[in-house]
């Protein structure tokens, strides 16, 4: 494989991992806020997951950004120029959320404020991140004196922006509700399990519907992507089959209880993996259509080899740490059942 193919595959891997754990993390913050008074037990489950996990989520965000800048420096420049406003807003919200969470966990009387901040930012950040996708498809960029500029007027009046934004929020709520149903089940909290399972049942079809709406709401300049996605029809059918298997698992009766949340979450993650692979394959070779391709944006071979070694060694070091984190906070019965 070429340097560009390997590099974009690594970038896709970090992006996919961050999209999954970020969705669960931000969604958990939102559900914690929503249920803080209506259902303190369900809110406690969300907060119990959120407490140790938000820093791990930020680690993958850093890895993603470093991979983009290192492997595709020209892409980082172009995207940084085009996305200065939305990315700056995301960074401000992340900074505000992280700083407030550190403070609020130290000062217990601010827990209510923590949940509000975490919930609101948890809803806004994924929406802003997903809104980047229609920009890369074309129709919202103009060249001025040789520099790409974002046409904010066209973007803000485009149905595609709001369709993608709605899809991002619905996906976040679905994945987080699905994960928290499994987390509640592992903790032996039957009441919270039923609540989060119901939320997953409601938000799952909504996320799929908005995915279809987002696909066909793009402007005329981006119709090339719709045609390319049709060429990846087999992959999207496999993705839909994985979703049906995952969603159907919520209706399977197992051990006297309705739903098999662990199996449902595994199938849904598989669904998003296949769908994002098909989407990325359709998007190739463009990073930003039609101004930049992966071969034009890739760094030189020497830098590529150095980065590859760095990420390889980093993976060997970090993987055992993440496995230890999983067993300490997401599998340990003593922690799961701590009130």
């Amino acid at each position: 494989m070429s340097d560009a193919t390997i590099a974009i595959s690594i970038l896709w891997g970090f992006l996919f991992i961050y999209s999954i754990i970020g969705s669960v993390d931000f969604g958990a913050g939102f559900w914690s806020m929503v249920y803080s008074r209506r259902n303190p037990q369900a809110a406690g489950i969300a907060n119990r997951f959120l407490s140790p996990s938000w820093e791990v989520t930020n680690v993958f965000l850093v890895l993603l950004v470093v991979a983009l800048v290192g492997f595709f420096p020209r892409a980082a420049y172009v995207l940084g120029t085009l996305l200065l406003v939305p990315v700056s807003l995301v960074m401000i919200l992340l900074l505000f959320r992280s700083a407030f969470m550190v403070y609020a966990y130290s000062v217990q009387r601010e827990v209510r404020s923590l949940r509000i901040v975490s919930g609101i930012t948890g809803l806004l950040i994924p929406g802003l991140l997903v809104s980047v996708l229609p920009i890369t498809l074309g129709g919202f960029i103009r060249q001025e004196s040789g520099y790409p500029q974002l046409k904010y007027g066209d973007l803000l009046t485009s149905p595609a922006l709001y369709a993608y934004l709605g899809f991002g929020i619905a996906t976040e709520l679905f994945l987080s509700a699905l994960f928290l149903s499994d987390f509640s089940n592992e903790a032996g909290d039957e009441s919270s399990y039923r609540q989060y399972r119901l939320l997953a049942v409601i938000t799952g079809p909504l996320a799929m519907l908005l995915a279809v709406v987002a696909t066909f709401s793009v402007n005329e300049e981006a119709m090339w992507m719709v045609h390319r996605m049709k060429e990846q029809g087999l992959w999207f059918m496999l993705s839909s089959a994985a979703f049906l298997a995952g969603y159907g698992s919520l209706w399977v009766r197992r051990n006297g209880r309705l739903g098999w949340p662990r199996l449902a979450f595994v199938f849904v993650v598989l669904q998003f993996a296949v769908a994002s692979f098909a989407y990325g394959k359709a998007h190739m070779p463009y990073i930003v259509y039609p101004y930049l391709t992966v071969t034009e944006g890739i760094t030189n071979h020497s830098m590529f080899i150095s980065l590859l070694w760095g990420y390889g060694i980093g993976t060997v070091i970090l993987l055992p740490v993440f496995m230890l984190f999983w067993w300490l906070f997401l599998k340990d019965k003593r922690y799961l059942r701590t009130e």
Side-chain angles (χ1 to χ4, degrees):
M1 289 195 295
S2 66
D3 291 358
T5 303
I6 296 172
I8 202 66
S9 299
I10 294 172
L11 196 63
W12 173 86
F14 285 131
L15 180 61
F16 173 71
I17 293 171
Y18 180 71
S19 66
I20 297 297
I21 65 175
S23 293
V24 175
D25 177 57
F26 294 129
F30 177 76
W31 296 127
S32 177
M33 179 188 73
V34 169
Y35 289 118
S36 59
R37 292 186 178 179
R38 293 169 52 192
N39 190 339
Q41 196 168 344
I45 281 287
N47 211 46
R48 205 176 307 160
F49 164 76
L50 193 62
S51 177
S53 66
W54 62 275
E55 294 180 72
V56 175
T57 305
N58 289 339
V59 169
F60 280 98
L61 178 60
V62 172
L63 290 173
L64 173 62
V65 173
V66 171
L68 175 64
V69 174
F71 285 121
F72 298 98
R74 188 179 173 193
Y77 164 73
V78 173
L79 291 172
T81 303
L82 293 174
L83 306 176
L84 180 62
V85 173
V87 169
S88 295
L89 288 174
V90 168
M91 291 297 104
I92 291 170
L93 290 173
L94 278 172
L95 178 63
F96 187 63
R97 182 177 190 257
S98 300
F100 204 88
M101 290 181 81
V102 171
Y103 172 74
Y105 278 121
S106 302
V107 184
Q108 290 300 311
R109 67 175 181 271
E110 298 294 340
V111 169
R112 171 63 182 167
S113 301
L114 161 66
R115 289 180 174 176
I116 293 174
V117 170
S118 178
I120 294 174
T121 55
L123 205 61
L124 293 175
I125 291 171
L128 286 169
L129 290 173
V130 174
S131 67
V132 169
L133 293 177
I135 296 174
T136 65
L137 300 180
F140 303 112
I141 303 171
R142 65 173 182 270
Q143 289 278 3
E144 286 188 4
S145 303
Y147 296 97
Q149 299 292 327
L150 191 60
K151 298 188 286 187
Y152 286 100
D154 292 349
L155 178 64
L156 294 175
T157 56
S158 171
L161 173 66
Y162 302 101
Y164 271 88
L165 193 148
F167 167 66
I169 292 174
T171 300
E172 164 205 2
L173 298 180
F174 174 48
L175 281 170
S176 58
L178 195 57
F179 180 87
L180 290 173
S181 67
D182 181 49
F183 194 66
S184 303
N185 182 52
E186 194 76 21
D189 189 336
E190 184 66 25
S191 174
S192 298
Y193 167 73
R194 290 196 300 268
Q195 183 64 60
Y196 286 119
R197 175 193 169 275
L198 177 61
L199 290 171
V201 167
I202 294 171
T203 54
L206 178 62
M208 288 294 287
L209 175 63
L210 287 173
V212 176
V213 172
T215 300
F216 293 99
S217 65
V218 296
N219 54 22
E220 186 177 351
E221 292 87 345
M223 286 304 294
W224 68 273
M225 186 61 179
V226 176
H227 299 315
R228 292 277 186 88
M229 290 175 70
K230 289 179 180 178
E231 295 173 2
Q232 305 300 323
L234 177 60
W235 288 107
F236 284 110
M237 284 191 288
L238 291 173
S239 171
S240 299
F243 170 79
L244 291 174
Y247 192 73
S249 299
L250 293 172
W251 301 94
V252 172
R253 187 167 293 278
R254 182 171 180 263
N255 298 328
R257 173 187 292 167
L258 188 61
W260 192 345
R262 178 68 54 82
L263 185 63
F265 186 74
V266 169
F267 269 117
V268 169
V269 170
L270 178 63
Q271 175 227 338
F272 278 98
V274 175
S276 62
F277 170 77
Y279 185 91
K281 193 174 180 182
H283 204 290
M284 288 286 283
Y286 297 104
I287 297 177
V288 179
Y289 179 86
Y291 300 101
L292 184 64
T293 65
V294 292
T295 53
E296 293 171 343
I298 190 68
T299 187
N300 62 73
H301 183 70
S302 298
M303 178 60 74
F304 168 78
I305 295 298
S306 298
L307 289 168
L308 207 57
W309 274 105
Y311 275 106
I313 295 171
T315 301
V316 171
I317 295 172
L318 289 175
L319 189 59
V321 175
F322 289 130
M323 291 177 65
L324 178 62
F325 170 84
W326 174 267
W327 286 104
L328 284 177
F329 295 106
L330 302 181
K331 294 293 291 182
D332 191 288
K333 300 293 185 182
R334 293 169 298 179
Y335 176 77
L336 290 172
R337 293 174 181 172
T338 300
E339 297 297 332

Coordinates of all heavy atoms in Angstrom, one line a residue, residues 6-24 26 56-69 71-72 79 83 87 90-91 125-126 128-134 136 164 167 171 175 225 269 272-281 283-284 286-287 294 311:
I6 N -1.9 4.1 3.8 CA -1.7 3.7 5.2 C -2.0 4.8 6.2 O -2.6 4.6 7.2 CB -0.2 3.2 5.3 CG1 0.1 2.0 4.5 CG2 0.1 3.0 6.8 CD1 1.5 1.6 4.4
A7 N -1.5 6.0 5.8 CA -1.7 7.2 6.7 C -3.2 7.5 6.9 O -3.7 7.8 8.0 CB -1.0 8.4 6.1
I8 N -4.0 7.5 5.8 CA -5.4 7.8 5.9 C -6.1 6.7 6.7 O -7.1 7.0 7.3 CB -6.0 8.0 4.5 CG1 -7.3 8.9 4.6 CG2 -6.3 6.7 3.8 CD1 -7.1 10.3 5.1
S9 N -5.6 5.5 6.6 CA -6.2 4.4 7.3 C -6.0 4.5 8.8 O -6.9 4.3 9.7 CB -5.7 3.0 6.9 OG -5.9 2.8 5.5
I10 N -4.8 5.0 9.2 CA -4.5 5.3 10.6 C -5.4 6.4 11.1 O -6.0 6.3 12.2 CB -3.0 5.6 10.8 CG1 -2.2 4.4 10.5 CG2 -2.7 6.1 12.2 CD1 -0.7 4.6 10.5
L11 N -5.5 7.4 10.3 CA -6.3 8.6 10.7 C -7.8 8.2 10.8 O -8.5 8.6 11.8 CB -6.2 9.7 9.6 CG -6.7 11.1 10.0 CD1 -5.9 11.6 11.1 CD2 -6.6 12.0 8.8
W12 N -8.3 7.3 9.9 CA -9.6 6.8 10.0 C -9.8 6.0 11.3 O -10.9 6.1 12.0 CB -10.0 5.9 8.8 CG -11.3 5.2 8.9 CD1 -12.5 5.8 8.6 CD2 -11.6 3.9 9.5 NE1 -13.5 4.8 8.8 CE2 -13.0 3.7 9.4 CE3 -10.8 2.9 10.0 CZ2 -13.6 2.6 9.9 CZ3 -11.3 1.8 10.5 CH2 -12.7 1.6 10.4
G13 N -8.8 5.2 11.7 CA -8.9 4.4 12.9 C -9.1 5.3 14.1 O -10.0 5.1 15.0
F14 N -8.3 6.4 14.2 CA -8.4 7.3 15.4 C -9.7 8.0 15.3 O -10.3 8.2 16.4 CB -7.2 8.3 15.4 CG -5.9 7.7 15.8 CD1 -4.8 7.9 15.1 CD2 -5.8 6.9 17.0 CE1 -3.6 7.4 15.5 CE2 -4.6 6.4 17.4 CZ -3.5 6.6 16.6
L15 N -10.1 8.4 14.1 CA -11.4 9.1 14.0 C -12.6 8.2 14.4 O -13.5 8.7 15.1 CB -11.6 9.6 12.6 CG -12.9 10.4 12.2 CD1 -12.9 11.6 13.1 CD2 -13.0 10.7 10.8
F16 N -12.5 7.0 14.0 CA -13.6 6.1 14.4 C -13.7 5.8 15.9 O -14.7 5.9 16.5 CB -13.4 4.7 13.6 CG -14.4 3.7 14.0 CD1 -15.8 3.8 13.7 CD2 -14.0 2.6 14.8 CE1 -16.7 2.8 14.1 CE2 -14.9 1.6 15.2 CZ -16.2 1.8 14.9
I17 N -12.5 5.6 16.5 CA -12.5 5.3 17.9 C -13.0 6.5 18.7 O -13.8 6.4 19.6 CB -11.0 4.9 18.4 CG1 -10.6 3.6 17.8 CG2 -10.9 4.9 19.9 CD1 -9.2 3.2 18.0
Y18 N -12.5 7.7 18.3 CA -12.9 8.9 18.9 C -14.4 9.2 18.8 O -15.1 9.6 19.7 CB -12.2 10.1 18.5 CG -12.6 11.4 19.2 CD1 -12.3 11.6 20.5 CD2 -13.3 12.4 18.5 CE1 -12.7 12.8 21.2 CE2 -13.7 13.5 19.2 CZ -13.4 13.7 20.5 OH -13.8 14.9 21.1
S19 N -15.0 8.9 17.6 CA -16.4 9.1 17.4 C -17.2 8.2 18.2 O -18.3 8.6 18.7 CB -16.8 8.8 15.9 OG -16.6 7.5 15.5
I20 N -16.8 7.0 18.5 CA -17.5 6.0 19.4 C -17.4 6.4 20.8 O -18.5 6.7 21.5 CB -17.1 4.6 19.2 CG1 -17.3 4.1 17.7 CG2 -17.8 3.7 20.2 CD1 -18.8 4.1 17.3
I21 N -16.2 6.5 21.3 CA -16.1 6.8 22.8 C -16.5 8.3 23.1 O -17.0 8.6 24.1 CB -14.6 6.5 23.3 CG1 -13.6 7.5 22.6 CG2 -14.3 5.1 23.1 CD1 -12.2 7.3 23.1
G22 N -16.3 9.2 22.1 CA -16.7 10.5 22.3 C -18.3 10.6 22.3 O -18.8 11.4 23.2
S23 N -18.9 9.9 21.5 CA -20.4 9.9 21.5 C -20.9 9.4 22.9 O -21.8 9.9 23.5 CB -20.9 9.0 20.4 OG -20.7 9.5 19.1
V24 N -20.3 8.3 23.4 CA -20.7 7.7 24.7 C -20.4 8.7 25.8 O -21.3 9.0 26.7 CB -20.0 6.4 24.9 CG1 -20.4 5.9 26.3 CG2 -20.5 5.4 23.9
F26 N -19.9 12.2 25.6 CA -20.7 13.4 25.6 C -22.2 13.1 25.9 O -22.9 13.8 26.5 CB -20.6 14.0 24.2 CG -19.2 14.6 24.0 CD1 -18.5 14.3 22.8 CD2 -18.6 15.4 24.9 CE1 -17.3 14.7 22.5 CE2 -17.3 15.9 24.6 CZ -16.6 15.5 23.5
V56 N -9.8 9.9 29.1 CA -9.4 9.0 28.0 C -9.9 9.4 26.7 O -9.2 9.3 25.6 CB -10.0 7.6 28.4 CG1 -9.7 6.6 27.2 CG2 -9.4 7.1 29.7
T57 N -11.1 10.0 26.6 CA -11.7 10.5 25.4 C -10.8 11.6 24.8 O -10.5 11.6 23.6 CB -13.1 11.1 25.6 OG1 -13.9 10.0 26.2 CG2 -13.7 11.5 24.3
N58 N -10.3 12.5 25.6 CA -9.5 13.6 25.2 C -8.1 13.1 24.7 O -7.5 13.7 23.8 CB -9.2 14.6 26.3 CG -10.5 15.4 26.6 OD1 -11.4 15.5 25.8 ND2 -10.5 15.9 27.8
V59 N -7.6 11.9 25.2 CA -6.4 11.3 24.7 C -6.5 11.0 23.2 O -5.6 11.3 22.4 CB -6.0 10.1 25.5 CG1 -4.9 9.3 24.8 CG2 -5.6 10.4 26.9
F60 N -7.6 10.4 22.8 CA -7.8 10.0 21.4 C -8.1 11.2 20.5 O -7.7 11.2 19.4 CB -9.0 9.0 21.3 CG -8.6 7.6 21.6 CD1 -8.9 7.1 22.9 CD2 -8.0 6.8 20.7 CE1 -8.6 5.8 23.2 CE2 -7.6 5.5 21.1 CZ -7.9 5.0 22.3
L61 N -8.6 12.3 21.1 CA -8.7 13.5 20.3 C -7.3 14.1 20.0 O -7.1 14.5 18.9 CB -9.6 14.6 21.1 CG -9.7 15.9 20.4 CD1 -10.4 15.8 19.1 CD2 -10.5 16.9 21.3
V62 N -6.5 14.1 21.0 CA -5.1 14.5 20.8 C -4.4 13.7 19.7 O -3.7 14.2 18.8 CB -4.3 14.5 22.1 CG1 -2.8 14.8 21.8 CG2 -4.9 15.6 23.1
L63 N -4.5 12.4 19.8 CA -3.9 11.5 18.8 C -4.4 11.7 17.4 O -3.7 11.7 16.5 CB -4.2 10.0 19.2 CG -3.5 9.5 20.5 CD1 -4.0 8.1 20.8 CD2 -2.0 9.4 20.3
L64 N -5.7 12.0 17.3 CA -6.3 12.3 16.0 C -5.7 13.6 15.4 O -5.4 13.6 14.2 CB -7.8 12.4 16.2 CG -8.6 12.9 15.0 CD1 -8.5 11.9 13.8 CD2 -10.1 13.1 15.3
V65 N -5.7 14.6 16.2 CA -5.2 15.9 15.7 C -3.7 15.8 15.3 O -3.3 16.3 14.3 CB -5.4 17.0 16.8 CG1 -4.7 18.3 16.3 CG2 -6.9 17.2 17.0
V66 N -2.9 15.1 16.2 CA -1.5 15.0 15.9 C -1.3 14.1 14.6 O -0.4 14.4 13.8 CB -0.7 14.3 17.1 CG1 0.7 13.9 16.7 CG2 -0.8 15.2 18.3
A67 N -2.1 13.1 14.4 CA -2.0 12.3 13.2 C -2.3 13.1 12.0 O -1.6 13.0 11.0 CB -2.9 11.1 13.3
L68 N -3.3 13.9 12.1 CA -3.7 14.8 10.9 C -2.6 15.8 10.6 O -2.2 15.9 9.4 CB -5.0 15.6 11.2 CG -5.4 16.6 10.2 CD1 -5.8 15.9 8.9 CD2 -6.6 17.4 10.7
V69 N -2.1 16.4 11.6 CA -1.0 17.4 11.4 C 0.3 16.7 10.9 O 1.0 17.2 10.0 CB -0.7 18.2 12.6 CG1 0.5 19.2 12.4 CG2 -2.0 19.0 13.0
F71 N 0.7 13.5 9.5 CA 0.7 12.8 8.2 C 0.2 13.6 7.0 O 0.6 13.5 5.9 CB -0.3 11.6 8.3 CG 0.2 10.4 9.1 CD1 -0.4 10.0 10.2 CD2 1.4 9.8 8.7 CE1 0.1 8.9 10.9 CE2 1.9 8.7 9.4 CZ 1.2 8.2 10.5
F72 N -0.7 14.6 7.3 CA -1.2 15.4 6.2 C -1.1 16.9 6.6 O -2.1 17.6 6.9 CB -2.7 15.1 6.0 CG -2.9 13.7 5.5 CD1 -3.3 12.7 6.4 CD2 -2.7 13.3 4.2 CE1 -3.5 11.4 6.0 CE2 -2.9 12.0 3.8 CZ -3.3 11.0 4.7
L79 N -7.8 22.7 6.3 CA -8.9 22.5 7.2 C -8.8 23.6 8.3 O -9.9 24.1 8.7 CB -8.9 21.1 7.8 CG -9.2 20.0 6.8 CD1 -9.0 18.6 7.4 CD2 -10.7 20.1 6.3
L83 N -12.0 25.8 8.7 CA -12.8 25.5 9.9 C -12.4 26.2 11.2 O -12.6 25.8 12.3 CB -12.7 24.0 10.2 CG -13.0 23.1 9.0 CD1 -12.8 21.6 9.3 CD2 -14.5 23.3 8.5
V87 N -14.1 24.9 14.7 CA -13.1 24.2 15.5 C -12.7 25.0 16.7 O -12.5 24.5 17.8 CB -11.8 23.9 14.6 CG1 -10.7 23.4 15.5 CG2 -12.1 22.8 13.6
V90 N -15.4 24.5 19.2 CA -15.3 23.1 19.8 C -14.2 23.2 20.9 O -14.3 22.6 22.0 CB -15.0 22.1 18.7 CG1 -14.5 20.8 19.4 CG2 -16.2 21.8 17.9
M91 N -13.0 23.8 20.6 CA -11.9 23.8 21.5 C -12.3 24.6 22.8 O -12.0 24.2 23.9 CB -10.7 24.5 20.9 CG -10.0 23.7 19.8 SD -9.4 22.1 20.4 CE -10.6 21.0 19.8
I125 N -21.0 19.9 21.2 CA -19.7 19.5 20.6 C -19.8 18.5 19.5 O -19.3 18.7 18.4 CB -18.7 19.0 21.7 CG1 -18.3 20.1 22.6 CG2 -17.4 18.4 21.1 CD1 -17.5 19.7 23.8
P126 N -20.5 17.4 19.7 CA -20.7 16.4 18.5 C -21.4 17.0 17.3 O -21.0 16.7 16.2 CB -21.5 15.3 19.1 CG -21.3 15.4 20.6 CD -21.2 16.8 20.9
L128 N -21.2 20.2 16.3 CA -20.3 21.0 15.7 C -19.2 20.2 14.9 O -18.8 20.5 13.8 CB -19.6 21.9 16.7 CG -20.4 23.1 17.2 CD1 -19.6 23.8 18.4 CD2 -20.7 24.1 16.1
L129 N -18.8 19.1 15.5 CA -17.8 18.2 14.8 C -18.4 17.6 13.6 O -17.7 17.5 12.5 CB -17.3 17.1 15.8 CG -16.4 17.6 16.9 CD1 -16.2 16.5 17.9 CD2 -15.1 18.2 16.4
V130 N -19.6 17.1 13.6 CA -20.2 16.4 12.5 C -20.5 17.5 11.4 O -20.5 17.1 10.2 CB -21.5 15.7 12.9 CG1 -22.2 15.1 11.7 CG2 -21.1 14.5 13.8
S131 N -20.8 18.7 11.8 CA -21.1 19.7 10.8 C -19.9 20.0 9.8 O -20.0 20.7 8.8 CB -21.5 21.0 11.5 OG -20.4 21.6 12.2
V132 N -18.7 19.5 10.2 CA -17.5 19.6 9.3 C -17.7 18.8 8.0 O -17.2 19.2 6.9 CB -16.3 19.1 10.0 CG1 -15.1 19.0 9.1 CG2 -16.0 20.1 11.2
L133 N -18.4 17.7 8.1 CA -18.5 16.7 7.0 C -19.1 17.4 5.7 O -18.5 17.2 4.6 CB -19.4 15.5 7.3 CG -18.7 14.6 8.4 CD1 -19.7 13.5 8.8 CD2 -17.4 14.0 7.9
P134 N -20.2 18.1 5.7 CA -20.7 18.7 4.5 C -19.8 19.7 3.9 O -19.8 19.9 2.7 CB -22.1 19.3 4.9 CG -22.0 19.5 6.3 CD -21.2 18.4 6.8
T136 N -16.6 19.4 3.6 CA -15.5 18.8 2.8 C -16.1 18.2 1.5 O -15.3 17.7 0.7 CB -14.9 17.6 3.6 OG1 -16.0 16.6 3.9 CG2 -14.4 18.1 5.0
Y164 N -26.9 17.1 8.9 CA -25.7 16.4 9.5 C -25.7 16.7 11.0 O -25.3 15.8 11.8 CB -24.5 16.9 8.8 CG -24.1 16.1 7.6 CD1 -24.6 16.4 6.4 CD2 -23.2 15.0 7.7 CE1 -24.2 15.7 5.2 CE2 -22.8 14.3 6.6 CZ -23.4 14.6 5.4 OH -23.0 13.9 4.3
F167 N -28.1 14.5 12.7 CA -27.6 13.1 12.6 C -26.6 12.9 13.7 O -26.6 11.8 14.4 CB -27.0 12.8 11.3 CG -26.2 11.5 11.2 CD1 -26.8 10.3 11.4 CD2 -24.8 11.6 11.0 CE1 -26.0 9.1 11.4 CE2 -24.1 10.4 10.9 CZ -24.7 9.2 11.2
T171 N -27.1 10.3 16.8 CA -26.2 9.2 16.9 C -25.5 9.2 18.3 O -25.4 8.1 18.9 CB -25.1 9.3 15.8 OG1 -25.7 9.2 14.5 CG2 -24.1 8.1 15.9
L175 N -25.9 6.0 20.8 CA -24.8 5.2 21.3 C -24.6 5.3 22.8 O -24.3 4.3 23.4 CB -23.5 5.7 20.6 CG -23.3 5.2 19.1 CD1 -22.1 5.9 18.5 CD2 -23.0 3.7 19.1
M225 N -20.8 12.8 -4.2 CA -20.6 11.9 -3.0 C -21.8 10.9 -3.0 O -21.6 9.8 -2.6 CB -20.6 12.7 -1.8 CG -20.3 11.9 -0.5 SD -18.7 11.0 -0.6 CE -18.7 10.2 1.0
V269 N -21.7 -0.9 17.0 CA -20.4 -0.4 16.7 C -19.9 -1.0 15.4 O -19.3 -0.3 14.6 CB -19.4 -0.8 17.9 CG1 -18.0 -0.5 17.5 CG2 -19.8 0.0 19.1
F272 N -21.5 1.0 12.6 CA -20.8 2.3 12.4 C -19.4 2.1 11.7 O -19.0 2.9 10.9 CB -20.7 3.1 13.7 CG -22.0 3.8 14.0 CD1 -22.9 3.2 14.9 CD2 -22.3 5.0 13.4 CE1 -24.1 3.9 15.2 CE2 -23.5 5.7 13.7 CZ -24.4 5.1 14.6
A273 N -18.7 1.0 12.1 CA -17.4 0.8 11.5 C -17.6 0.5 10.0 O -16.8 1.1 9.2 CB -16.8 -0.4 12.2
V274 N -18.6 -0.3 9.6 CA -18.8 -0.6 8.2 C -19.3 0.6 7.4 O -18.8 0.9 6.3 CB -19.8 -1.8 8.0 CG1 -20.1 -2.1 6.6 CG2 -19.2 -3.1 8.7
A275 N -20.2 1.3 8.0 CA -20.7 2.5 7.4 C -19.7 3.6 7.2 O -19.6 4.2 6.1 CB -21.9 3.1 8.2
S276 N -18.9 3.8 8.2 CA -17.8 4.8 8.1 C -16.7 4.4 7.1 O -16.2 5.3 6.4 CB -17.2 5.1 9.5 OG -16.6 4.0 10.0
F277 N -16.4 3.1 7.1 CA -15.5 2.6 6.0 C -16.0 2.9 4.6 O -15.3 3.4 3.8 CB -15.3 1.1 6.2 CG -14.5 0.5 5.1 CD1 -13.1 0.7 5.0 CD2 -15.1 -0.3 4.1 CE1 -12.4 0.1 4.0 CE2 -14.4 -0.8 3.1 CZ -13.1 -0.7 3.0
A278 N -17.3 2.6 4.4 CA -17.9 2.8 3.1 C -18.0 4.3 2.8 O -17.7 4.7 1.6 CB -19.3 2.2 3.1
Y279 N -18.3 5.1 3.8 CA -18.3 6.6 3.5 C -16.9 7.1 3.2 O -16.8 7.9 2.2 CB -18.9 7.2 4.8 CG -19.0 8.7 4.6 CD1 -20.3 9.3 4.2 CD2 -18.0 9.6 4.9 CE1 -20.4 10.6 4.1 CE2 -18.2 11.0 4.8 CZ -19.4 11.5 4.4 OH -19.6 12.8 4.2
G280 N -15.9 6.6 3.9 CA -14.6 7.0 3.6 C -14.1 6.6 2.3 O -13.4 7.3 1.6
K281 N -14.5 5.3 1.9 CA -14.1 4.8 0.6 C -14.7 5.6 -0.5 O -14.1 5.9 -1.6 CB -14.5 3.4 0.5 CG -13.9 2.6 -0.7 CD -14.2 1.1 -0.6 CE -13.6 0.4 -1.8 NZ -14.0 -1.1 -1.8
H283 N -15.5 8.7 -0.3 CA -14.9 10.1 -0.2 C -13.6 10.2 -0.8 O -13.1 11.2 -1.3 CB -14.8 10.5 1.3 CG -14.8 12.0 1.5 ND1 -13.8 12.8 1.1 CD2 -15.7 12.8 2.0 CE1 -14.0 14.0 1.4 NE2 -15.2 14.1 2.0
M284 N -12.9 9.0 -0.9 CA -11.5 9.0 -1.5 C -11.6 9.3 -3.0 O -12.6 9.0 -3.7 CB -11.0 7.6 -1.3 CG -10.6 7.2 0.1 SD -9.0 8.1 0.6 CE -7.8 7.1 -0.2
Y286 N -10.4 12.3 -2.1 CA -10.5 13.7 -1.6 C -10.5 13.8 -0.1 O -11.2 13.1 0.6 CB -11.7 14.4 -2.2 CG -11.7 14.5 -3.7 CD1 -12.5 13.6 -4.4 CD2 -10.9 15.4 -4.4 CE1 -12.5 13.7 -5.8 CE2 -10.9 15.5 -5.7 CZ -11.7 14.6 -6.5 OH -11.7 14.7 -7.8
I287 N -9.7 14.8 0.4 CA -9.9 15.2 1.8 C -10.8 16.4 1.8 O -11.8 16.4 2.6 CB -8.5 15.6 2.4 CG1 -7.6 14.4 2.4 CG2 -8.7 16.1 3.8 CD1 -6.2 14.7 2.9
V294 N -5.6 13.0 -0.9 CA -4.7 12.4 0.1 C -3.3 12.4 -0.4 O -2.3 12.6 0.4 CB -5.2 11.0 0.5 CG1 -6.5 11.0 1.3 CG2 -5.3 10.1 -0.7
Y311 N 3.9 6.0 16.3 CA 2.5 5.5 16.6 C 2.6 4.0 17.0 O 1.8 3.6 17.8 CB 1.6 5.8 15.5 CG 1.0 7.1 15.5 CD1 1.4 8.1 14.6 CD2 0.0 7.5 16.5 CE1 0.8 9.4 14.7 CE2 -0.6 8.7 16.5 CZ -0.1 9.7 15.6 OH -0.7 10.9 15.7

